Amino acid sequence: MTKTFAQKALERASGETGLVPGQIVDAYPDLYMSHTASWRCIRTLERMGVDTLYDVDRIAMVMDHISPANSAKTAGDHRLCREFAERMGVSKFYDVNAGIAHVVLMENGHIRPGQLIIGTDSHSTIYGALGAFGTGVGFSEITAAWVTGKLWLRVPESIKIVIEGPLPPGTHPKDIMLRLIGDLTADGATYCSVEFHGSYVESLSVSERMTLCNLAMEMGAKNAFVPPDDVTRRYLADAGVEPDGYEELLPDAGAEYRQVVDLDGRALAPQIAVPHTVDNVVPVDEVAGTRLNQVFIGSCANAKYDDLVIAAEVLAGNKVAPGVRLIVTPASSTVMSKAASDGVLSTLIEAGATITNPGCGACAGNGGAMADGEVTLSTANRNFQGRMGSYQSQIYLSSPATAAASAIRGSITNPQDVLR
Amino acid sequence: MATEHRVGGTCITFGDDVNTDVIIPGRYLVSIDPAELAEHAFEPLGPEVQRRLRASSVVVAGRNFGCGSAREQASTCLIGAGITAVVAASFSRVFFRNAINTGLVAVESPEAVTAVQDGGEVWVDYAAGVVEVGDERFRFAPYPEALRTILEAGGLIAYLTEQASKGASSKASSEASSKASSKASSTEETVR
């Protein structure tokens, strides 16, 4: 029997064999990630009256959504998490200085190929960038996993996406994913495991693969996956993970897919999602000239080091248009440190950007809010109504290159027009 | 444990792709109290929708209801508003899980959704696997027993607490799961 990645990963996590799509298994995750929502888990645990945990080493907490605290209430929530981590011996606790949970956990070697990771965040699909099975759940399920070590999962069908490259100058993984989400729609991969294959995917860094896997969620995916290779192994080695510390799982040749999508990226033009859904995607040229009040370069989709470099290359020697606010929120302290030491941050600052502390920032509504009628172009992964302030404001989504070019002109701009 | 498997009443209808940020905006996630959350449910759609929500018992929606964030409060805010069931053409998988885990009945029935009139009556018998819209009855694959057990306990945490108080947590949950596995093939469309 040939198997997809999802079948193999859930066999590993459940100890069962011969799993087929539709079957429900009890799976034992390798890691339970909770972000700022950790306080909800702790309160729930208190309500249950339980103080014995299944395996404290599988708990990871990262204070990223509202960080640093913006009120006495959230400060109290953070303190609750901090004290819980100290009391229970949660070694994978990252405080408000660390950055976005997904990126922080990958940078620090906590995510490995073949593993099952559940997180209190829908974009937990991102862990597929390292060949792991990551999926989002609610906080009650994380609390339950703390206690029982397991959760029920339905074995998903799989969709295989084959992308050929290279992409034209000025286009990036975000453009590919926006096009794909536009084509397949917001529920085109609901419940499915999405595997990325093809020459373009193989050419990407782990950081770029994170953008693919992160955005797969916006098609409804349960998890996403890029086959581990030398790129993966080097990233893991840099993160201090020994080669004998993980087992790579690859789909079998001839595995069954619900759908195979072939995408030729070689003629792709920059893409943009227009308000208020992520699958409302058009080429940037179609909405070029739309006036902007704010540009946000941030989020787990596009605020990694290479994203900041792309933005800096476009912004170098230019100024942000008068009246436009450019907010840059590095994904992690590691990203910020690297960008600070090699001049990327100063290029951004000289162009007129506001640099904030690492974390989710404006994507999670922490700073960077909009007033009625305002428009933001964001590199994040959601443009839902009211997500960044006023319910009467608008969010467009693009690559960092499009965001940077648009910040210079003060209106939506094809980065290929600026790079020429 | 509740024995009533039929819930419903007046419904309020929505379209496709209703996302979590519209159901409960991120700024209110500082709370996990259903009543407090209910005050802000569907706030982006305005006070009239909110008033109608609180006067309704069932939410009816199109495809991909609850898409977006993993926030569990998207389900608890509806419970706080007095909603007992959500009937949709389809759900995002995280919303579906959160609904079961917080004790909110969530069923997929595209046919029932088409038959529903905004403000009309909708009833769901989740044991029998039937959605009633006026005189019409629409069938859906009933929940696997493991999920139904969680739902009837009032959600995942209530279920685990109940099991712990019986002193048989691991045994009972593994029994429930194996029952679920054996029934899985007939309930593929129900389980997300």
Side-chain angles (χ1 to χ4, degrees):
Chain A
M1 179 183 148
T2 57
K3 296 169 189 167
T4 60
F5 165 72
Q7 283 167 290
K8 290 190 179 182
L10 294 184
E11 286 188 357
R12 178 187 167 277
S14 67
E16 297 192 34
T17 53
L19 297 183
V20 293
Q23 205 170 338
I24 299 174
V25 294
D26 270 350
Y28 288 78
D30 297 277
L31 199 69
Y32 333 121
M33 183 282 282
S34 52
H35 50 56
T36 309
S38 299
W39 69 268
R40 300 171 203 153
C41 305
I42 297 165
R43 290 291 184 219
T44 305
L45 193 71
E46 288 172 353
R47 196 153 50 84
M48 291 172 74
V50 176
D51 52 9
T52 309
L53 302 182
Y54 178 79
D55 182 359
V56 75
D57 287 337
R58 299 189 190 205
I59 297 177
M61 290 183 178
V62 188
M63 303 294 105
D64 61 2
H65 271 55
I66 306 173
S67 59
N70 62 1
S71 68
K73 165 72 170 70
T74 52
D77 295 340
H78 288 179
R79 182 171 64 189
L80 182 73
C81 299
R82 223 169 266 133
E83 291 176 352
F84 178 86
E86 175 71 26
R87 185 170 75 251
M88 305 302 284
V90 177
S91 60
K92 299 179 184 73
F93 175 82
Y94 292 89
D95 218 318
V96 297
N97 60 323
I100 306 173
H102 302 310
V103 178
V104 169
L105 295 183
M106 290 167 108
E107 285 172 345
N108 285 279
H110 301 313
I111 309 294
R112 300 166 185 203
Q115 288 187 328
L116 172 64
I117 294 109
I118 57 172
T120 56
D121 191 282
S122 57
H123 293 109
S124 300
T125 55
I126 193 172
Y127 303 126
L130 287 175
F133 188 115
T135 195
V137 296
F139 65 83
S140 288
E141 288 204 280
I142 292 291
T143 314
W146 285 0
V147 177
T148 68
K150 65 183 179 180
L151 82 167
W152 63 266
L153 286 175
R154 180 176 175 264
V155 182
E157 294 180 301
S158 296
I159 295 177
K160 181 177 187 174
I161 293 169
V162 185
I163 311 171
E164 301 304 334
L167 267 51
T171 53
H172 299 279
K174 183 62 156 289
D175 298 295
I176 278 279
M177 286 310 297
L178 287 176
R179 188 63 266 145
L180 202 55
I181 296 162
D183 289 348
L184 295 184
T185 78
D187 63 351
T190 291
Y191 191 67
C192 288
S193 170
V194 172
E195 295 185 9
F196 291 100
H197 297 268
S199 64
Y200 176 66
V201 178
E202 288 164 18
S203 75
L204 297 179
S205 66
V206 168
S207 169
E208 292 170 312
R209 294 172 185 186
M210 287 185 204
T211 303
L212 300 186
C213 293
N214 181 286
L215 284 152
M217 171 58 209
E218 301 308 321
M219 308 186 286
K222 177 171 195 159
N223 70 290
F225 172 74
V226 172
D229 57 11
D230 282 339
V231 174
T232 321
R233 286 167 215 133
R234 276 196 299 275
Y235 182 96
L236 289 164
D238 289 346
V241 181
E242 301 290 336
D244 60 0
Y246 55 89
E247 180 195 2
E248 295 172 13
L249 298 179
L250 297 174
D252 293 325
E256 272 188 46
Y257 294 94
R258 188 183 84 170
Q259 188 181 358
V260 178
V261 179
D262 290 300
L263 193 59
D264 186 350
R266 288 172 293 186
L268 186 78
Q271 305 288 310
I272 192 165
V274 307
H276 295 291
T277 62
V278 189
D279 60 357
N280 200 0
V281 176
V282 297
V284 169
D285 285 338
E286 269 189 35
V287 289
T290 304
R291 301 299 302 173
L292 299 172
N293 304 96
Q294 181 170 276
V295 174
F296 172 59
I297 298 176
S299 89
C300 47
N302 277 119
K304 295 159 271 106
Y305 177 73
D306 51 338
D307 296 315
L308 302 191
V309 170
I310 289 165
E313 282 170 1
V314 175
L315 284 160
N318 290 294
K319 291 283 179 197
V320 173
V324 173
R325 321 181 289 264
L326 171 59
I327 300 170
V328 178
T329 302
S332 71
S333 60
T334 306
V335 167
M336 192 170 196
S337 171
K338 193 170 177 194
S341 65
D342 66 7
V344 168
L345 281 194
S346 46
T347 300
L348 297 171
I349 293 165
E350 281 159 24
T354 300
I355 313 292
T356 79
N357 62 295
C360 301
C363 183
N366 199 33
M370 283 187 282
D372 287 356
E374 289 197 325
V375 181
T376 285
L377 176 56
S378 162
T379 67
N381 35 31
R382 296 225 165 102
N383 59 348
F384 298 156
Q385 184 183 358
R387 189 168 169 93
M388 295 173 70
S390 166
Y391 299 138
Q392 275 74 48
S393 62
Q394 299 198 312
I395 307 170
Y396 291 74
L397 304 176
S398 78
S399 74
T402 302
S406 303
I408 296 168
R409 299 238 178 125
S411 61
I412 292 173
T413 300
N414 184 333
Q416 293 167 330
D417 296 343
V418 173
L419 291 165
R420 254 175 220 132
Chain B
M1 184 177 289
T3 51
E4 181 58 70
H5 302 137
R6 191 169 171 272
V7 294
T10 308
C11 78
I12 178 170
T13 61
F14 296 91
D16 294 338
D17 296 320
V18 173
N19 69 62
T20 50
D21 290 57
V22 166
I23 299 171
I24 183 73
R27 69 203 64 166
Y28 302 117
L29 302 183
V30 289
S31 172
I32 51 174
D33 174 52
E36 198 177 327
L37 290 161
E39 289 175 26
H40 304 288
F42 286 104
E43 190 174 277
L45 302 188
E48 177 57 18
V49 170
Q50 292 188 281
R51 186 195 61 75
R52 285 204 50 219
L53 178 79
R54 285 192 290 270
S56 301
S57 301
V58 180
V59 164
V60 177
R63 289 163 59 102
N64 204 23
F65 184 80
C67 63
S69 148
R71 64 190 65 164
E72 196 168 302
Q73 292 97 323
S75 174
T76 40
C77 76
L78 298 182
I79 294 170
I83 299 298
T84 53
V86 183
V87 179
S90 66
F91 292 99
S92 83
R93 61 162 284 279
V94 187
F95 181 87
F96 183 84
R97 291 189 79 95
N98 284 337
I100 301 300
N101 287 333
T102 54
L104 177 65
V105 173
V107 300
E108 286 190 356
S109 177
E111 300 80 14
V113 170
T114 307
V116 163
Q117 301 228 323
D118 195 16
E121 288 226 345
V122 176
W123 289 83
V124 178
D125 185 329
Y126 59 87
V130 173
V131 180
E132 301 162 27
V133 182
D135 295 337
E136 294 187 88
R137 292 161 66 82
F138 302 91
R139 300 205 69 83
F140 61 91
Y143 293 123
E145 193 162 338
L147 272 63
R148 199 175 121 187
T149 309
I150 292 171
L151 191 64
E152 287 179 348
L156 180 60
I157 297 303
Y159 167 75
L160 289 176
T161 307
E162 195 178 283
Q163 293 304 308
S165 70
K166 286 179 189 168
S169 175
S170 61
K171 184 167 175 287
S173 67
S174 69
E175 275 171 10
S177 306
S178 56
K179 280 175 193 162
S181 299
S182 65
K183 288 194 170 189
S185 58
S186 64
T187 56
E188 283 191 19
E189 295 312 309
T190 306
V191 181
R192 284 291 146 84

